[in-house]
Amino acid sequence: MPIQYYIVLSLALFCIGIVGVLTRRNAIIIFMCIELMLNAVNLLLVAFSKMHHNTVLAADKATQAGIEGQLFVFFIMVVAAAEVSVGLAIIVMMFRNTHSVDVNFLNRLKN
Amino acid sequence: MSATQILFWILSVVALFSAIMVLLSKNPVHSVLWLIAVFFSISGHYILLNAQFLAIVNMIVYAGAIMVLFLFVVMLMNLNKETEPQKNLWLKLAGVVSGGCLLMILVSLIRQASEVTNKQVLLKDGNIGLIKNLGKALFSDYVVPFEISSVLFLSAMIGAVVIGKKN
């Protein structure tokens, strides 16, 4: 499978996430779109890892090249899990104060 | 066209359709469920790329833990489509146009890039995605970032408790 297909698929998912962040006002949906963008990047990292592995595999049969990409995806998932727990706590706190998840209420830092 | 290529196209169509439905759903619960569909199709892509460990971790961590957390928060807030605020039509149109322009520019760049022409992705083969090899690399070369990530988890847990606490 050519790498271009994976790149275009990931770019499409990423741009759908960007459109979601730009067009919705619900804080939870915006947060979900950020997760979608993270996953698009993860998919592209795995595809590039397998592409690099494929090019090195022609010269060396026992190679482990490209494993760093998949480990990087693992660490991205770790950071994303931590980020989601803190972010959802912030959204819950915001809902408790303003009784809404509309991000337009957050246009000032005071009050 | 081989079976893996057919699977690639099916999974891609499912992923893109579900991602668009995440945006178009008025009800936040439906958005969460469509996002779970996106994550499962991305897990299918990982299996197709023979990244089995990442496929399982994606299913357990994302589709299992994170999305259940989202669903829990959505149901806790009792959001429905009547209370959801909407941006005005021109702002929505501007967002869609700017996202589409970014996609168009990036795709046209990729079509011309010489670094990625004639490069093939190794499907359903190769052993770097297996748990054995990933675990060896993780616990030998990358053990320090792995331990640091545990500290990150601890600080995130404490932070979430402190932020979510009623004062």
Side-chain angles (χ1 to χ4, degrees), chain A residues 17-91:
Chain A
I18 286 179
V19 169
V21 171
L22 290 177
T23 57
R24 297 296 292 256
R25 276 171 62 182
N26 190 333
I28 293 177
I29 307 278
I30 289 175
F31 208 40
M32 279 162 51
C33 289
I34 292 171
E35 294 301 310
L36 188 63
M37 290 195 271
L38 275 174
N39 264 277
V41 172
N42 282 352
L43 179 61
L44 194 55
L45 269 173
V46 176
F48 274 134
S49 139
K50 296 294 285 192
M51 182 192 89
H52 181 59
H53 186 66
N54 198 15
T55 51
V56 180
L57 198 67
D60 181 11
K61 282 294 172 198
T63 181
Q64 294 283 313
I67 204 163
E68 295 87 1
Q70 305 205 4
L71 281 172
F72 208 83
V73 172
F74 177 70
F75 283 116
I76 289 175
M77 283 178 181
V78 167
V79 173
E83 172 230 336
V84 163
S85 64
V86 176
L88 282 176
I90 291 174
I91 289 177

Side-chain angles (χ1 to χ4, degrees), chain A residues 4-21:
Chain A
Q4 276 100 341
Y5 292 165
Y6 277 100
I7 297 176
V8 170
L9 172 65
S10 300
L11 284 179
L13 284 173
F14 191 85
C15 288
I16 288 170
I18 286 179
V19 169
V21 171

